[in-house]
Amino acid sequence: MTIEDNRNVAQQWLMDLWSKGNLDIADKVVATDYTRHDREFPLKGPEAYKRFIKTFREFFIDMEFAEDHIVAEGEKVFVRWKARAFLKNGKQGEISGTDLLRIVDGKIVESWPLFDALSLMRQMGLLRFLFLVRKLKKSLAEH
């Protein structure tokens, strides 16, 4: 795979999987041995990733992601993104974050996410944010 191919996988991951919520894309771009390196929400495989995205998106209305920057070098692709959505309380919210993706043979095998959780907590309200975290952890533990 070329660096441009890896950039395209990253764009599909962001725009189709996250922004549009098309969970079937996970089977195309997330490897079966995928690992998400995240202390709070570690994930293994595409099915766990689909559950995570589905649960996360349930808390928002009309969630849209936009690409700020994508930088690719070899197997690694760095993605800087912004997301906007209406919160269930009717307010519009916005967060930003980055993901470092390792892509092998056209599939994401590892990711290292980082997003502005404090900003999300402030916009959602502490109790609603804690409920989101609890629900995400529960959905991951069920399988």
Side-chain angles (χ1 to χ4, degrees):
M1 304 294 293
T2 67
I3 289 173
E4 193 59 33
D5 292 334
N6 288 346
R7 281 180 54 87
N8 291 337
V9 169
Q11 286 174 318
Q12 203 170 20
W13 163 83
L14 181 65
M15 301 312 296
D16 294 335
L17 185 58
W18 275 101
S19 190
K20 294 178 183 171
N22 182 351
L23 299 180
D24 293 334
I25 293 298
D27 295 322
K28 183 177 178 186
V29 301
V30 178
T32 55
D33 60 343
Y34 165 78
T35 299
R36 176 185 162 122
H37 300 280
D38 184 352
R39 188 174 64 113
E40 288 299 317
F41 305 109
L43 302 173
K44 295 276 189 190
E47 292 305 316
Y49 204 79
K50 287 188 228 182
R51 284 192 310 276
F52 180 80
I53 291 172
K54 181 177 184 270
T55 303
F56 190 84
R57 290 181 61 88
E58 287 173 359
F59 279 77
F60 304 95
I61 301 166
D62 297 329
M63 179 180 280
E64 291 181 355
F65 283 74
E67 163 193 329
D68 270 353
H69 301 287
I70 293 185
V71 179
E73 183 177 304
E75 295 180 338
K76 300 227 171 97
V77 180
F78 175 83
V79 181
R80 170 91 176 134
W81 51 263
K82 286 183 186 171
R84 287 192 185 113
F86 284 96
L87 307 173
K88 296 283 180 154
N89 63 10
K91 295 180 184 176
Q92 186 173 12
E94 184 175 303
I95 61 170
S96 60
T98 61
D99 281 84
L100 178 61
L101 309 173
R102 188 167 75 86
I103 300 172
V104 176
D105 295 329
K107 295 207 175 203
I108 302 165
V109 294
E110 292 181 281
S111 70
W112 293 264
L114 182 63
F115 72 97
D116 188 359
L118 181 58
S119 176
L120 182 60
M121 180 183 71
R122 285 181 179 156
Q123 292 174 67
M124 291 182 76
L126 179 60
L127 291 178
R128 187 138 183 84
F129 178 79
L130 292 175
F131 182 68
L132 168 63
V133 169
R134 190 174 120 232
K135 188 165 182 176
L136 285 168
K137 288 187 179 223
K138 184 179 177 187
S139 77
L140 297 175
E142 289 175 352
H143 298 275

